[in-house]
């Protein structure tokens, strides 16, 4: 069994390399990936499960995490996690002429997403958009409601880090640009704000 | 169940939101439902327990809401009952 050693590799390299290996693997085959942090493990899990593969992992005695991704039968992903509506939000203000109006409009926009049927498949936050998914945001209740309806909510880890908000993420998961681009590229419909 | 304030214009809704936040009221913004008026205005939602305090804060700021409703769900549909 081949093990991809991704210890010491920066985000999103483990996901990129694992995805390449999965592309070359046969149905039923397991691709193993060794990583040294839990965020990398989470990103691998999101990617694998999003593509319909089986995911498992174990924390070894040396502290490293060995992830196993078993390729879905038939050689094709069991489902496409990008299908449906994807909403990508890069700021906490809707429109640019007036910031106060824009912030109210953004809250109104996110509330309106809760009324959509079906709800968006993915809501992605990056750059200033991460202020909406973190503690203190007035949109948290609506985002939690969307998560409860099945929307996947994800915020850019680099952006959370830049704004010193990593510990304040209040809804959804941390993600990376590889996942954001991949999700946008596979979207059935995309709203990019 | 939430109390919903409607306003004469978007500027009053935004000013009202600002005053309520300054007054410590947890207020949420939402689009004006078509059943409550034409146009594309904004309205504000507060918990029913914050209704009196919200009215006081708005009046102190010289903002008179256009309407006040209770927002609830009946038979799976969202309904707005005038207060």
């Amino acid at each position: 069994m081949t093990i991809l050693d991704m210890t010491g590799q920066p985000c999103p390299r483990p996901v990129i390399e694992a995805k390449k290996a999965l592309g070359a693997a046969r149905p039923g085959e397991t691709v193993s990936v060794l990583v040294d942090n839990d965020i990398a493990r989470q990103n691998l899990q999101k990617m694998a499960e999003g593509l319909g593969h089986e995911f498992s992992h174990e924390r070894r005695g040396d502290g490293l995490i060995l992830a196993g991704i078993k390729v879905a039968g038939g050689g094709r992903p069991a489902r496409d996690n990008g299908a449906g509506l994807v909403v990508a939000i890069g700021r906490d203000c809707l429109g640019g002429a007036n910031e106060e109006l824009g912030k109210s409009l953004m809250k109104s926009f996110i509330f309106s997403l809760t009324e959509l049927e079906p709800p968006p498949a993915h809501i992605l936050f990056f750059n200033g958009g991460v202020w909406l998914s973190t503690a203190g945001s007035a949109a948290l209740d609506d985002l939690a409601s969307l998560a409860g309806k099945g929307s996947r909510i994800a915020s850019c880890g680099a952006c959370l880090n830049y704004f010193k908000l990593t510990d304040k993420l209040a809804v959804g998961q941390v993600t990376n640009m590889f996942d954001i681009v991949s999700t946008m590229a596979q979207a059935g419909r995309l709203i990019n704000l | 169940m939430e109390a919903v304030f409607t306003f004469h214009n978007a500027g009053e809704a935004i000013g009202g939101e600002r005053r309520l936040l300054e007054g410590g009221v947890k207020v949420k913004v939402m689009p004006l439902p078509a059943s409550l008026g034409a146009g594309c205005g904004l309205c504000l939602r507060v918990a029913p327990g914050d209704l009196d305090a919200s009215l006081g804060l708005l009046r102190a700021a010289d903002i008179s809401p256009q309407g006040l409703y209770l927002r609830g769900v009946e038979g799976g549909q969202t309904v707005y009952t005038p207060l």
Side-chain angles (χ1 to χ4, degrees):
Chain A
M1 179 177 67
T2 304
I3 297 178
L4 282 175
D5 184 357
M6 290 288 108
T7 56
Q9 296 296 315
C11 159
R13 179 64 58 188
V15 170
I16 293 171
E17 295 303 324
K19 209 165 182 182
K20 283 183 192 170
L22 288 167
R26 293 184 301 275
E29 191 176 334
T30 296
V31 172
S32 296
V33 189
L34 190 63
V35 294
D36 55 13
N37 66 86
D38 198 54
I39 294 294
R41 189 275 301 166
Q42 289 175 32
N43 287 333
L44 285 168
Q45 183 166 357
K46 277 183 284 186
M47 179 273 291
E49 292 180 347
L51 293 172
H53 303 307
E54 283 181 37
F55 182 88
S56 61
H57 73 282
E58 62 172 297
R59 186 175 287 276
R60 305 195 322 187
D62 57 6
L64 300 178
I65 300 168
L66 183 62
I69 304 170
K70 187 175 179 185
V71 178
R76 290 183 175 276
R79 62 188 167 90
D80 177 358
N81 75 325
L85 174 63
V86 174
V87 181
I89 300 176
R91 49 196 309 196
D92 62 352
C93 176
L94 190 61
N98 181 281
E99 186 177 352
E100 186 176 38
L101 173 63
K103 287 186 173 180
S104 287
L105 291 176
M106 183 60 85
K107 286 178 259 186
S108 180
F109 175 85
I110 290 175
F111 171 78
S112 299
L113 292 179
T114 69
E115 305 267 298
L116 282 183
E117 189 57 47
H122 302 262
I123 305 172
L124 308 172
F125 294 103
F126 56 93
N127 206 325
V130 299
W131 288 101
L132 295 164
S133 59
T134 48
S137 160
L140 289 182
D141 288 350
D142 291 333
L143 291 174
S145 168
L146 284 159
K149 292 178 179 179
S151 295
R152 172 179 166 260
I153 295 170
S155 298
C156 162
C159 311
L160 289 165
N161 177 267
Y162 180 85
F163 291 115
K164 298 183 170 51
L165 291 170
T166 303
D167 296 337
K168 295 182 177 169
L169 184 66
V171 62
Q173 307 155 324
V174 177
T175 190
N176 57 54
M177 193 51 69
F178 180 78
D179 174 62
I180 288 172
V181 170
S182 173
T183 303
M184 291 169 82
Q186 295 174 53
R189 289 159 293 142
L190 172 65
I191 297 174
N192 190 15
L193 301 176
Chain B
M1 199 79 84
E2 291 174 308
V4 174
F5 291 103
T6 63
F7 297 89
H8 295 91
N9 55 59
E12 283 194 352
I14 291 170
E17 181 198 10
R18 189 190 321 127
R19 293 297 178 146
L20 295 185
L21 289 172
E22 288 169 355
V25 173
K26 188 176 181 185
V27 57
K28 300 173 189 170
V29 183
M30 65 178 239
L32 182 68
S35 61
L36 301 187
C40 52
L42 299 170
C43 54
L44 302 180
R45 296 176 284 154
V46 300
D50 288 333
L51 181 55
D52 290 341
S54 300
L55 278 169
L57 287 164
L58 291 173
R59 284 178 183 141
D62 225 10
I63 296 173
S64 301
Q66 185 176 35
L68 179 54
Y69 302 85
L70 204 56
R71 179 177 187 268
V73 177
E74 285 179 12
Q77 298 292 317
T78 303
V79 294
Y80 295 89
T81 307
L83 290 175

